[in-house]
């Protein structure tokens, strides 16, 4: 049984159909890519899974149990943590305090320091996050998500705004993280090199519909995907 | 982290020493003035927790002060089931009653933000003074309630004004420490997280309803204590003792103090007192500027002066007094770091 099952989810904003009966899943231990052109509904899917949005139709099950009985702030208790497309850090707080908030529901703050070491952020521990370069901020956000001790991690365009070098490191890092913490990762990413390099499986969204699913190689060979997405310069 | 602790600890020690010694160097009347500043300071600490640390705006904190003031007046004049309470014991009760009112206001506030929250809370500030007029049997109507003059506890050889000074600042220092511990702890982190990003806070497991109402409750508790002390110092309450404009003054004091700077609130409180009571002096200073002539005696001048000072302060010092101190301190410490 997959760890996460998104089933027939539809989400409308006024006239816009952001998700149109979308289904996909992720099995425990997988890195699953979720790709598609801008406006395809990827972030909306994340917001539905993390309960920030309640969809018009459909269900999302985690570990076999619907998430709709869980409050938005209770989602992390189920072991689901996320990062945001446009870094959502607590800008008035230090790096360590940001990470401590990630561990809000955990006891003690030893784990926050451990996460900083793991993420190689200890040298900026007490700096205000707003002082840090964008790439470092993204790492702080990832550290904050890890501090909750999650089972499932949703990453919304983690490579966005990073340099070429940083993206390569990120790819290696995401895999290592998955192995070290036995995570399941759902990865939204525009950077095709990254997704195709590390994902076990890829789902493709276009205009709110899932148009393809498969291994990176299968998806890259799929003509409708090429039309919808790969032809569009990113 | 330890490096960040000592400036605040030494600032607190300095404030405590000044507070303890000041009455020796000023007249009895000045001590009373300083006591009132202490009351504004307490109210501003509460407002800072709400707005500075949790990002919720309130233009109605004068009403929570009024609730505290009326609680003290009613309990010490009419008593509780005929049993009158000594003014001192009404202070925590006044804080609690106002705090509960704050929790109640905090619930609808959950659905509102920014401008709407400002409007709703201002609505509370505007309508609250009508309450004593409407239920005049309970609240004493427009005449209000006259309290016994505050007396120093038996055996304390000090004047009433000095007693009120020490009482107020004693409580203020305790509440300052409490606020400081709060904002550095887990709850304070949750408050700040909500202020900086609600979605990220929720995704980290922070319940918005719980923490936003809690911030309102704590904040109103502070205002209630301040209002209680104000009633004790004044020895009477009526709707004019807590005018609508008080809520606005508090927000101005908060901005001048620097939103999330607990120590900065002392500056904000002093400004509120000064502008409220010495606006004519400020008007005379302003008249020294070319092409300006304000009649210091005219009604409305205090508000005009208040507005002018606010604009000037906000343009020159957008982060308030607290921000200024932090900036100066930052310059100092970065010098030290680069040297070593
Ligand atoms: N909160 C919202 N209100 C209105 N429209 C929204 C909202 N969130 C997303 N949308 C719309 O839904 C569509 C999908 O957006 P999004 O999920 O952000 O796409 P992606 O992340 O794939 O680029 C877009 O047309 C976007 O404008
Ligand atoms: Mg997106």
């Amino acid at each position: 049984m997959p760890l996460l099952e998104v089933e027939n989810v539809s989400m409308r904003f006024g006239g816009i159909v952001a998700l149109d009966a979308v289904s996909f899943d992720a099995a425990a231990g997988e890195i699953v890519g979720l790709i598609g052109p801008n406006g395809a509904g990827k972030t909306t899917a994340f917001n539905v899974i993390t309960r920030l949005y309640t969809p018009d139709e459909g269900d999302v099950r985690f570990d076999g149990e619907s998430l709709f009985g869980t409050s938005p702030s209770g989602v992390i208790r189920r072991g689901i943590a996320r990062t945001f497309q446009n870094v959502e850090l607590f800008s008035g707080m230090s790096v360590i305090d940001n990470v401590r908030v990630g561990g809000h529901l955990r006891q003690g703050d030893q784990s926050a320091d451990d996460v900083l070491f793991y993420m190689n952020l200890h040298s900026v521990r007490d700096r205000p996050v707003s002082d840090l370069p964008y790439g470092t901020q993204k790492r702080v956000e990832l550290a904050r998500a890890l501090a909750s001790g999650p089972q499932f991690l949703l990453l919304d365009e983690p490579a966005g705004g990073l340099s070429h070098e940083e993206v390569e490191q990120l790819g290696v890092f995401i895999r290592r993280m998955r192995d070290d913490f036995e995570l399941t990762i759902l990865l939204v990413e525009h950077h095709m090199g990254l997704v195709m390099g590390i994902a076990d499986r890829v789902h493709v969204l276009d205009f709110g519909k899932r148009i393809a699913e498969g291994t990176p190689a299968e998806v890259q060979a799929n003509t409708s995907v090429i039309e919808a997405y790969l032809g569009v310069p990113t | 982290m330890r490096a960040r602790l000592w400036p605040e600890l030494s600032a607190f020690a300095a404030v405590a020493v000044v507070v303890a010694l000041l009455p020796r160097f000023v007249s009895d009347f000045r001590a009373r003035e300083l006591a009132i500043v202490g009351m504004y300071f307490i109210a501003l600490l509460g407002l800072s927790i709400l707005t500075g640390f949790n990002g919720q705006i309130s233009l109605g904190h004068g009403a929570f002060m009024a609730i505290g003031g009326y609680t003290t007046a009613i309990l010490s004049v009419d008593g509780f089931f005929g049993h009158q309470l000594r003014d001192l014991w009404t202070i925590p009760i006044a804080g609690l009653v106002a705090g509960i009112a704050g929790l109640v206001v905090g619930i609808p506030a959950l659905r509102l933000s920014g401008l709407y929250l400002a409007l709703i809370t201002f609505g509370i500030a505007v309508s609250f003074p009508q309450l004593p007029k409407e239920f005049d049997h309970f609240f004493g109507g427009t005449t209000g309630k006259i309290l016994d003059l505050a007396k120093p506890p038996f055996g304390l050889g000090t004047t009433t004004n000095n007693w009120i000074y020490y009482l107020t600042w004693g409580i203020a220092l305790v509440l300052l420490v409490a606020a400081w511990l709060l904002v550095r702890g887990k709850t304070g982190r949750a408050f700040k997280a909500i202020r900086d990003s609600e979605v990220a806070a929720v995704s980290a497991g922070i319940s918005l309803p719980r923490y936003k109402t809690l911030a309102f409750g704590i904040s109103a508790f502070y205002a209630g204590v301040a209002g209680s002390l104000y009633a004790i110092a004044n020895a009477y309450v009526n709707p004019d003792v807590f005018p609508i404009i008080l809520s606005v003054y508090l927000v101005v004091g908060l901005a001048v103090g620097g939103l999330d700077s607990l120590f900065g609130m002392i500056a904000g409180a002093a400004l509120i007192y000064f502008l409220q009571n010495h606006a004519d002096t400020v008007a005379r200073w302003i008249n020294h500027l070319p092409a300006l002539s304000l009649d210091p005696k005219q009604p409305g001048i205090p508000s005009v002066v208040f507005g002018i000072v606010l604009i000037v302060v906000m343009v020159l010092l957008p982060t308030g007094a607290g921000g200024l101190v932090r900036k100066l301190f930052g310059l100092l410490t970065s010098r030290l770091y680069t040297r070593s």
Side-chain angles (χ1 to χ4, degrees):
Chain A
M1 181 187 62
L3 182 61
L4 176 83
E5 299 163 274
V6 173
E7 196 179 272
N8 264 316
V9 164
S10 294
M11 178 93 215
R12 285 178 281 274
F13 298 103
I16 298 168
V17 184
L19 294 175
D20 189 357
V22 167
S23 301
F24 63 88
D25 57 24
E30 270 187 320
I31 294 178
V32 175
L34 186 62
I35 65 170
N38 261 326
K42 307 178 297 291
T43 297
T44 303
F46 269 29
N47 288 339
V48 167
I49 295 167
T50 55
R51 298 289 289 114
L52 295 180
Y53 296 162
T54 299
D56 301 297
E57 279 150 47
D59 195 8
V60 179
R61 279 189 302 277
F62 188 74
D63 224 353
E65 199 186 320
S66 173
L67 276 174
F68 294 164
T70 305
S71 70
S73 62
V75 167
I76 202 158
R77 236 183 262 274
R78 306 270 308 259
I80 302 174
R82 72 174 288 181
T83 64
F84 295 85
Q85 184 173 344
N86 308 301
V87 175
E88 284 280 345
L89 283 174
F90 308 123
S91 54
M93 295 161 71
S94 63
V95 169
I96 182 73
D97 274 351
N98 268 271
V99 177
R100 280 183 181 137
V101 171
H104 178 75
L105 295 173
R106 284 179 139 191
Q107 297 305 314
D109 64 54
Q110 188 51 46
S111 56
D113 275 300
D114 292 346
V115 174
L116 285 191
F117 275 116
Y118 185 80
M119 297 292 303
N120 203 7
L121 282 167
H122 218 265
S123 58
V124 292
R125 183 184 190 275
D126 294 310
R127 294 267 295 275
V129 281
S130 48
D131 283 4
L132 302 174
Y134 192 70
T136 314
Q137 292 192 357
K138 293 208 98 153
R139 257 191 301 149
V140 176
E141 220 193 16
L142 198 50
R144 182 179 65 193
L146 279 183
S148 64
Q151 186 182 358
F152 193 89
L153 202 52
L154 299 116
L155 306 177
D156 199 347
E157 304 201 16
L162 299 192
S163 68
H164 184 71
E165 234 168 280
E166 284 174 316
V167 173
E168 280 189 357
Q169 292 170 357
L170 181 70
V172 176
F173 189 76
I174 290 176
R175 288 201 105 137
R176 203 177 82 201
M177 219 167 50
R178 187 254 318 250
D179 299 338
D180 289 348
F181 299 103
E182 297 174 357
L183 295 172
T184 306
I185 295 175
L186 186 60
L187 173 69
V188 162
E189 192 43 72
H190 265 306
H191 199 288
M192 276 312 121
L194 178 64
V195 183
M196 298 306 176
I198 66 170
D200 301 305
R201 231 158 24 105
V202 177
H203 299 280
V204 187
L205 287 182
D206 188 26
F207 288 113
K209 285 196 169 70
R210 191 183 71 167
I211 57 167
E213 188 252 326
T215 63
E218 286 166 357
V219 165
Q220 272 169 309
N222 184 309
T223 45
S224 58
V225 174
I226 295 167
E227 269 168 37
Y229 190 69
L230 298 178
V232 180
T234 54
Chain B
M1 190 169 66
R2 238 159 254 132
R4 300 202 142 217
L5 219 54
W6 71 262
E8 299 196 41
L9 288 181
S10 36
F12 181 78
V15 170
V17 168
V18 170
V19 161
L21 297 182
L22 209 53
R24 296 176 186 227
F25 302 103
V26 300
S27 68
D28 192 51
F29 177 71
R30 278 273 182 272
R32 182 191 171 76
E33 289 196 304
L34 291 169
I36 309 272
V37 171
M39 296 165 201
Y40 289 137
F41 174 51
I42 293 171
L44 287 182
L45 284 175
L47 200 53
S48 176
I49 290 170
L50 181 70
T51 309
F53 289 93
N54 194 224
Q56 301 193 79
I57 197 160
S58 169
L59 275 171
H61 258 50
F64 294 120
M65 281 184 72
I67 291 173
Y70 267 98
T71 304
T72 282
I74 290 167
L75 288 178
S76 53
V77 176
D78 306 316
F80 189 66
F81 289 110
H83 181 81
Q84 287 160 323
L85 268 72
R86 184 164 179 189
D87 52 7
L88 216 50
W89 304 126
T90 68
I91 298 172
I93 303 174
L96 287 177
V97 171
I100 290 166
L103 289 177
V104 172
V105 171
I107 294 166
L110 281 174
R111 307 198 150 271
L112 306 164
S113 59
L115 186 59
Y116 296 98
L117 187 54
L119 281 175
I120 291 283
T121 50
F122 191 60
I124 293 168
V126 170
S127 47
F128 191 83
Q130 301 308 316
L131 214 61
K133 295 175 192 166
E134 202 61 40
F135 303 95
D136 56 351
H137 179 68
F138 191 62
F139 291 100
T142 43
T143 6
K145 292 206 174 281
I146 317 248
L147 287 79
D148 287 339
L149 272 186
K151 275 198 295 284
F154 188 75
L156 226 68
T158 174
T159 65
T160 294
N161 285 338
N162 266 275
W163 159 239
I164 288 177
Y165 171 91
Y166 281 116
L167 177 66
T168 302
W169 279 99
I171 292 174
L173 291 184
V174 169
L175 291 181
L176 171 63
V177 172
W180 185 72
L181 290 174
L182 176 82
V183 300
R184 297 185 87 253
K186 184 172 173 172
T187 306
R189 272 202 305 272
F191 284 173
K192 286 182 270 184
I194 291 171
R195 170 196 68 189
D196 290 346
S197 168
E198 287 197 359
V199 283
V202 167
S203 298
I206 293 168
S207 155
L208 292 186
R210 179 182 310 162
Y211 283 96
K212 286 178 101 173
T213 45
L214 183 65
F216 242 104
I218 292 172
S219 174
F221 173 88
Y222 275 73
V225 169
S228 168
L229 287 165
Y230 200 70
I232 293 170
N234 241 347
Y236 69 87
V237 296
N238 68 23
D240 295 335
V241 170
F242 301 103
I244 295 164
I245 195 77
L246 178 60
S247 296
V248 180
Y249 287 166
L250 287 173
V251 173
V252 172
L254 175 74
V256 169
L259 296 187
D260 63 348
S261 164
L262 297 176
F263 288 102
M265 294 307 126
I266 298 177
L271 183 90
I272 296 176
Y273 185 82
F274 190 73
L275 288 181
Q276 222 180 353
N277 295 278
H278 301 284
D280 51 341
T281 318
V282 184
R284 253 177 261 124
W285 293 345
I286 292 174
N287 283 344
H288 288 308
L289 299 174
L292 266 176
S293 69
L294 299 170
D295 178 359
K297 293 278 165 291
Q298 227 164 38
I301 283 300
S303 309
V304 172
V305 168
F306 222 104
I308 294 172
V309 170
L310 176 65
I311 292 167
V312 169
V313 170
M314 289 294 100
V315 168
L316 295 180
L317 275 183
T319 46
L324 178 69
V325 171
R326 237 170 288 174
K327 207 175 283 172
L328 292 176
F329 198 81
L331 282 177
L332 193 74
T333 48
S334 63
R335 288 269 157 74
L336 291 176
Y337 281 136
T338 47
R339 238 183 7 178
S340 62

